[in-house]
């Protein structure tokens, strides 16, 4: 065995992407071994530096437990996992959590791990969308059009202007859990407001975006605009503020034809109010462009833009026709968005203004009529009340008294129910407290058995620092010991024998009651019973 403190590995085989984290404490490692006794553990090749050899677990009491290689004799492929922390496995844990999360929503996806391993994870959804998980803190984030959404890993920085432009950014973080695992949470960071974290079970994937607690009706944020110098006139026509020039830029950024085609694609996809300005920009470029190839591309793009622009005009015309016929709040909301188009005519704006005035007048008329009807109804009710007879008033009082009695009975029933619920909660909290004490008691019993000595409840309280141990009743002690012995095999001695080994009357009484609960035989004579207990303590000591 080697001495590399390897914390992360994979289950199954060397090419697996099912991650494993080695627990650091003795108790957790023992549970880990029992849970995975039929699994093999490997130094996976999907880790950076993984050698692909099989691993085992090493248990220590003077330092943290960890994975170690089999037959590490200095031959074979050298392992590069030395000094790699748990974060080096974030890409595999992210894949495992996302796959399980998608499965709960009836979805599946393909996952890939671009080089260098661990830097990013690509999630290819069935509908063609791609999610990019960027995990490398030292590499720039790829804000490109190929990714439908970008999610940042722990500690990955983001420039303030990009966060301001997008309006939010999604993040993930990992939290260790007992027993050698990690939990993943999804957070939404807003400018100046920090990050709000959600469990994956509270996040939904829709066709529009990832719905979280702070974005219940999420729509994918726009990708940041490329920072380039170029035709500022074209940028302004499509509604994008010019950014500061940079010394280096890509060919796509410097080519005004490619840039305006990119803006056309964006306008056709999710910025229809920029379509008119983009078509105008294409027309201007056609007047200046001389390359036959570029002219052909621009003409095709112009035809696409004009066709979509005409469709939008016809749709706006139909909405305005319905608005003229009968204005409604829903139609006004819809047409307000359409009025953002740059080719809206003054006549169309006047139609909207007139419809808004008409709707306001109609709503005012309805409100006045409703107020008049309400006043008439109130007057009639008052008149009816004046002509009621004393007999009717008496009947009303009787009904009121009956309602009062029913209310009092209901109130008393609710109070009784609340008291019973409070008692149940107190019992539940006490049971949970007893369950939380069980690991401390088990650890103290194992330590006493290892040191070949008996122990007492007072000593367990002093050793563990759990003051609640000193206030336990006989039945509560019995419940804790029953929990402690759940995993003890029927033929194995009980850990609680180190408590009974003191020989006190209370200790023997408690041990007899425990044996009765566990359906184990118990001798009636104290001397023989105590001798049997000492023999079982000796068996426990030999296990160490």
């Amino acid at each position: 065995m080697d001495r590399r403190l390897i914390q992360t590995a994979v289950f199954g085989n060397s090419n697996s992407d099912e991650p494993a984290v080695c627990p650091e404490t003795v108790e957790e490692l023992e549970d880990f071994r029992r849970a995975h006794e039929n699994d093999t553990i490997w130094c996976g090749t999907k880790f950076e530096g993984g050698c692909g050899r099989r691993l085992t677990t090493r248990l220590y009491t003077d330092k943290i437990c960890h994975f170690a290689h089999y037959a590490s004799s200095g031959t074979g492929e050298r392992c590069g996992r030395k000094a790699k922390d748990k974060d080096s496995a974030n890409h595999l844990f992210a894949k495992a959590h996302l796959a399980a999360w998608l499965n709960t929503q009836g979805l599946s996806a393909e996952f890939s791990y671009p080089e260098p391993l661990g830097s990013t994870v690509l999630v290819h959804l069935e509908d063609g969308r791609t999610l990019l998980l960027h995990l490398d803190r030292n590499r720039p984030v790829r804000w490109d059009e190929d990714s439908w959404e970008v999610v940042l890993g722990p500690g990955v920085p983001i420039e303030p202007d990009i966060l301001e432009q997008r309006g939010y950014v999604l993040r993930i973080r990992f939290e260790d859990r007992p027993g050698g695992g990690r939990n993943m949470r999804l957070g939404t960071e807003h400018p100046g407001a920090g990050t709000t974290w959600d469990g994956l079970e509270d996040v939904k994937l829709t066709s529009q975006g990832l719905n979280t607690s702070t974005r219940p009706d999420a729509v994918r944020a726009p990708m940041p605009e490329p920072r380039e110098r170029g035709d500022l006139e074209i940028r302004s026509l499509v509604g994008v503020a010019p950014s500061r020039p940079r010394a280096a830029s890509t060919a796509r950024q410097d080519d005004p034809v490619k840039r305006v085609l990119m803006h056309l694609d964006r306008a056709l996809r999710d910025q229809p109010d920029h379509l008119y300005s983009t078509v105008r920009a294409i027309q201007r470029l056609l007047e200046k462009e001389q390359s036959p190839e570029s002219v052909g591309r621009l003409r095709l793009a112009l035809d696409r833009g004009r066709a979509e622009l005409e469709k939008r005009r016809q749709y706006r015309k139909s909405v305005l026709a319905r608005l003229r016929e009968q204005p409604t709040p829903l139609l006004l909301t819809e047409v307000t968005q359409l009025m953002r188009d740059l080719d809206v005519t003054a006549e169309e704006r006047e139609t909207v203004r007139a419809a808004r005035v008409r709707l306001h007048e109609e709503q005012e008329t309805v409100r006045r009529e409703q107020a008049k009807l309400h006043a008439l109804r109130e007057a009639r009710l008052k008149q009816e009340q004046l002509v009621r007879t004393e007999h009717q008033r008496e009947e009303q009082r009787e009904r009121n008294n009956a309602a009062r009695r029913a209310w009092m009975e209901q109130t008393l029933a609710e109070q009784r129910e609340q008291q019973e619920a409070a008692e149940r909660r107190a019992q539940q909290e006490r049971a949970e407290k007893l369950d939380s004490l069980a690991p401390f008691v088990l650890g103290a019993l194992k330590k006493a058995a290892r040191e070949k000595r008996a122990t007492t409840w007072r000593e367990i309280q002093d050793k563990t620092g759990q003051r609640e141990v000193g206030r336990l009743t006989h039945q509560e002690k019995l419940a804790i010991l029953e929990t402690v012995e759940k995993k003890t095999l029927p033929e194995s001695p009980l850990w609680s024998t180190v408590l009974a080994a003191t020989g006190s009357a209370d200790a023997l009484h408690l041990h007899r009651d425990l044996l009765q609960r566990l359906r184990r035989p118990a001798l009636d004579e104290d001397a023989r019973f105590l001798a049997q207990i000492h023999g079982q303590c000796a068996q426990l000591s030999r296990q160490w």
Side-chain angles (χ1 to χ4, degrees):
M1 302 295 179
D2 66 19
R3 291 186 171 273
R4 299 185 182 101
L5 300 183
I6 300 176
Q7 296 177 288
T8 52
V10 294
F11 292 116
N13 58 71
S14 60
N15 295 321
S16 168
D17 59 1
E18 182 182 355
V21 174
C22 185
E24 298 181 357
T25 66
V26 173
E27 290 79 8
E28 289 182 346
L29 182 56
E30 290 176 340
D31 292 339
F32 178 85
R33 286 174 170 177
R34 283 191 290 268
H36 300 285
E37 59 182 352
N38 297 323
D39 298 325
T40 57
I41 306 171
W42 299 79
C43 184
T45 56
K46 284 187 169 57
F47 290 120
E48 183 183 7
C51 65
R53 286 188 287 159
R54 188 173 173 182
L55 302 174
T56 186
T57 54
R58 296 294 296 270
L59 186 149
Y60 289 94
T61 58
D62 57 341
K63 59 182 179 181
I64 65 172
C65 305
H66 57 269
F67 294 126
H69 292 80
Y70 275 106
S72 181
S73 59
T75 61
E77 182 179 353
R78 184 176 180 84
C79 182
R81 296 294 295 160
K82 186 176 182 180
K84 297 288 185 181
D85 60 13
K86 296 177 184 178
D87 289 345
S88 63
N90 281 349
H91 58 302
L92 300 189
F93 279 101
K95 180 264 180 182
H97 285 288
L98 289 175
W101 170 65
L102 289 170
N103 185 59
T104 62
Q105 302 184 61
L107 303 174
S108 62
E110 293 183 1
F111 295 81
S112 59
Y113 309 103
E115 294 290 342
L117 281 174
S119 62
T120 54
V121 179
L122 287 176
V123 186
H124 308 277
L125 300 174
E126 295 174 317
D127 57 10
R129 292 179 291 175
T130 301
L131 272 67
L132 169 65
L133 273 68
H134 184 99
L135 303 172
D136 195 329
R137 304 175 185 176
N138 301 315
R139 291 177 177 271
V141 182
R142 288 169 45 200
W143 302 104
D144 54 39
E145 293 296 329
D146 296 333
S147 300
W148 174 74
E149 184 61 274
V150 177
V151 182
L152 305 185
V156 175
I158 181 172
E159 298 181 14
D161 56 342
I162 292 180
L163 179 58
E164 191 71 29
Q165 179 182 344
R166 285 175 55 85
Y168 74 92
V169 69
L170 297 175
R171 291 187 175 274
I172 58 171
R173 75 179 185 191
F174 297 91
E175 301 169 350
D176 290 345
R177 64 170 181 255
R182 307 192 85 187
N183 293 325
M184 189 176 85
R185 296 173 65 83
L186 183 75
T188 309
E189 180 181 356
H190 294 278
T195 304
T196 302
W197 295 98
D198 294 282
L200 284 180
E201 66 277 4
D202 299 321
V203 180
K204 299 297 181 184
L205 176 64
T206 69
S207 59
Q208 287 77 33
L210 290 166
N211 290 356
T212 64
S213 61
T214 58
R215 300 170 60 241
D217 298 310
V219 177
R220 183 178 70 95
M223 291 298 178
E225 292 294 331
R227 301 180 182 182
E228 73 243 15
R229 61 184 173 187
D231 189 347
L232 298 184
E233 178 185 5
I234 295 177
R235 290 176 61 95
S236 63
L237 284 172
V238 294
V240 180
S243 58
R244 294 188 299 272
R246 289 190 174 184
S249 59
T250 64
R252 179 178 178 178
Q253 293 169 340
D254 286 336
D255 188 340
V257 174
K258 290 183 178 180
R259 188 166 59 254
V260 78
L261 294 179
M262 178 186 69
H263 289 313
L264 177 62
D265 289 338
R266 183 176 297 131
L268 292 173
R269 185 177 62 248
D270 51 21
Q271 293 181 343
D273 51 321
H274 291 174
L275 186 59
Y276 179 79
S277 59
T278 307
V279 169
R280 292 290 302 276
I282 295 174
Q283 292 173 333
R284 285 192 171 91
L285 274 179
L286 273 172
E287 295 173 358
K288 299 186 297 181
E289 188 61 43
Q290 297 180 356
S291 168
E293 180 183 356
S294 296
V295 168
R297 294 170 63 192
L298 287 172
R299 285 176 176 171
L300 289 175
L302 183 60
D303 291 341
R304 288 174 58 206
R306 283 174 171 171
E308 189 63 29
L309 197 60
E310 182 59 28
K311 285 173 58 179
R312 188 165 176 83
R313 286 170 179 163
Q314 293 300 323
Y315 176 70
R316 189 169 69 234
K317 182 179 178 180
S318 67
V319 174
L320 288 171
R322 285 185 287 150
L323 192 67
R324 280 191 293 269
E325 180 179 351
Q326 180 56 56
T328 65
L330 186 61
L331 282 175
L332 274 176
T333 301
E334 184 176 3
V335 83
T336 299
Q337 297 295 323
L338 295 173
M339 288 298 101
R340 296 170 58 185
D341 294 352
L342 297 180
D343 58 340
V344 173
T345 65
E347 181 182 356
E348 290 174 327
R349 296 189 186 278
E350 176 59 26
T351 299
V352 174
R353 187 198 66 78
R356 186 173 287 111
V357 171
R358 177 184 169 187
L359 179 62
H360 177 73
E361 291 175 349
E362 291 176 352
Q363 290 174 337
E364 283 297 321
T365 301
V366 171
R367 279 195 290 270
R368 285 194 298 269
E369 292 178 352
Q370 288 177 343
K372 184 183 298 184
L373 289 174
H374 180 72
L376 291 174
R377 189 181 301 113
E378 288 293 322
R380 186 174 63 252
L381 290 175
K382 288 180 180 179
Q383 185 65 26
E384 291 175 355
Q385 186 175 10
L386 291 174
V387 299
R388 285 177 184 166
T389 64
E390 184 64 25
H391 177 69
Q392 290 173 324
R393 289 198 295 269
E394 184 63 30
E395 288 181 351
Q396 185 63 42
R397 283 195 295 269
E398 184 59 32
R399 286 194 293 270
N400 291 341
N401 291 335
R404 189 178 299 108
R405 287 192 297 271
W407 175 80
M408 293 179 63
E409 291 175 358
Q410 181 181 358
T411 301
L412 291 175
E414 290 177 351
Q415 289 176 350
R416 287 194 298 271
E417 184 178 352
Q418 290 174 357
Q419 291 174 354
E420 293 173 356
E423 293 175 358
R424 289 195 297 270
R425 283 196 299 272
Q427 293 174 358
Q428 179 65 24
E429 290 173 357
R430 189 60 181 170
E432 292 175 354
K433 180 61 179 178
L434 294 179
D435 288 344
S436 68
L437 291 175
F440 295 98
V441 173
L442 177 59
L445 296 179
K446 288 184 176 181
K447 181 173 174 49
R450 185 165 58 248
E451 296 175 355
K452 301 180 180 181
R453 60 180 178 82
T455 189
T456 64
W457 289 97
R458 180 57 182 270
E459 183 180 354
I460 291 175
Q461 174 187 346
D462 295 340
K463 294 290 186 181
T464 63
Q466 300 297 313
R467 296 183 178 181
E468 189 71 17
V469 173
R471 296 190 289 269
L472 295 174
T473 65
H474 179 86
Q475 291 300 323
E476 290 171 342
K477 292 178 181 178
L478 193 59
I480 290 177
L481 292 180
E482 187 178 4
T483 302
V484 165
E485 303 295 353
K486 276 186 177 179
K487 295 184 180 180
T488 304
L489 298 177
E491 65 275 6
S492 301
L494 300 177
W495 295 106
S496 52
T497 54
V498 297
L499 277 169
T502 60
S504 68
D506 290 343
L508 294 179
H509 180 207
L510 180 62
H511 198 61
R512 279 195 173 95
D513 289 348
L514 177 62
L515 292 175
Q516 183 178 2
R517 280 202 179 189
L518 298 178
R519 298 183 180 179
R520 292 194 178 198
L523 298 175
D524 295 332
E525 187 180 342
D526 286 353
R528 293 177 58 199
F529 187 44
L530 187 59
Q532 183 187 49
I533 290 171
H534 287 159
Q536 292 175 349
C537 287
Q539 293 181 41
L540 287 174
S541 301
R542 284 195 293 273
Q543 294 182 16
W544 305 95

